[in-house]
Amino acid sequence: MRLRLTPRDTSFFDLLAASAAHLVTGANLLAELLGADRPARKALAKQLAEAEHLADEATHSIMRRLNQTFVTPFDRDDIYGLASALDDCMDFMEEAADLIVLYKLEALPARVSDQVQVLQRAAELTADAMPRLRSMDSLSEYWVEVNRLENQADKSHRKLLAQMFDEITDPILLMKLKEVVEKLEDAADAFEKVANMVETIALKES
């Protein structure tokens, strides 16, 4: 571990942890939305949009703090990139929920639930990992597991697309569903990006 002779602003750890906590809320609301009827989905999508707004505020707090702080706990660009990547996770989940409501989709393919379960687990792991950036200890299990989950999500995504093209004859419905599942895949990729950034930061700080 490098010796540091200057004080560091450690509030960034709390801000990143708060940002990641919103992801757990978002992923759980998304899972709840899948199992709800259309009227309930609209209310849940609104709650998810509110959670996304809170996540945006958390991201802006990190950016403002970066502009006000001379000595950061680790590389300034890494903090910026990590905050942005966390924000992307929430944005993609909120977009998927919004599309489900806007497109007035009824029952969704079963494998969509598999995608969302991966997001829920990735969100939990990410929220658990952020506070541990303070010490950089025991983080390798986090990024290994998120990478494994993303690989699982990729396989589920490919199977889901194949199933949709085989079974759905309405081209408009197919297009709508495909857009939703692509946003969920984007969310899984965004969680992997966060994990990869944490790995890079940990390696730099070791």
Side-chain angles (χ1 to χ4, degrees):
M1 181 68 70
R2 278 184 264 163
L3 179 65
R4 297 185 186 275
L5 302 178
T6 52
R8 300 179 300 165
D9 185 342
T10 59
S11 65
F12 287 106
F13 299 117
D14 296 328
L15 292 169
L16 289 166
S19 182
H22 292 304
L23 299 179
V24 177
T25 301
N28 289 339
L29 283 169
L30 182 57
E32 192 176 347
L33 184 145
L34 290 188
D37 57 20
R38 272 177 51 187
R41 281 178 177 176
K42 191 170 183 179
L44 288 165
K46 184 178 179 182
Q47 290 180 50
L48 213 166
E50 290 167 355
E52 191 271 336
H53 179 67
L54 292 173
D56 277 344
E57 289 183 351
T59 303
H60 294 153
S61 294
I62 294 169
M63 300 310 177
R64 285 193 298 270
R65 197 75 184 177
L66 273 175
N67 290 331
Q68 298 166 355
T69 304
F70 179 67
V71 180
T72 55
F74 49 89
D75 186 90
R76 183 177 300 270
D77 288 340
D78 287 337
I79 295 173
Y80 177 87
L82 188 54
S84 298
L86 289 167
D87 191 54
D88 287 343
C89 295
M90 179 64 93
D91 285 346
F92 288 129
M93 290 192 293
E94 192 274 332
E95 285 178 44
D98 196 37
L99 288 171
I100 290 170
V101 172
L102 288 175
Y103 288 158
K104 300 177 181 178
L105 295 171
E106 299 289 350
L108 296 163
R111 281 199 172 94
V112 172
S113 180
D114 294 341
Q115 284 187 295
V116 173
Q117 286 175 19
V118 166
L119 298 180
Q120 285 180 285
R121 182 60 182 147
E124 291 169 357
L125 290 166
T126 302
D128 180 65
M130 288 303 110
R132 285 185 277 131
L133 286 170
R134 288 180 182 273
S135 61
M136 298 292 172
D137 289 336
S138 305
L139 282 167
S140 61
E141 290 181 4
Y142 154 68
W143 65 66
V144 168
E145 178 61 10
V146 171
N147 276 273
R148 187 195 68 79
L149 286 169
E150 199 279 331
N151 290 333
Q152 178 182 326
D154 279 346
K155 292 178 182 177
S156 178
H157 176 244
R158 290 193 293 269
K159 289 178 181 178
L160 178 52
L161 287 179
Q163 178 189 1
M164 286 164 49
F165 279 104
D166 280 345
E167 298 178 1
I168 299 173
T169 56
D170 181 345
I172 301 300
L173 176 59
L174 179 61
M175 183 173 63
K176 291 176 178 179
L177 285 171
K178 185 175 183 295
E179 191 170 354
V180 170
V181 301
E182 292 294 349
K183 290 299 177 186
L184 295 174
E185 175 66 8
D186 288 341
D189 289 343
F191 275 108
E192 184 184 38
K193 181 179 179 182
V194 171
N196 289 343
M197 293 190 73
V198 169
E199 181 179 10
T200 298
I201 292 166
L203 290 173
K204 285 183 181 179
E205 295 296 308
S206 63

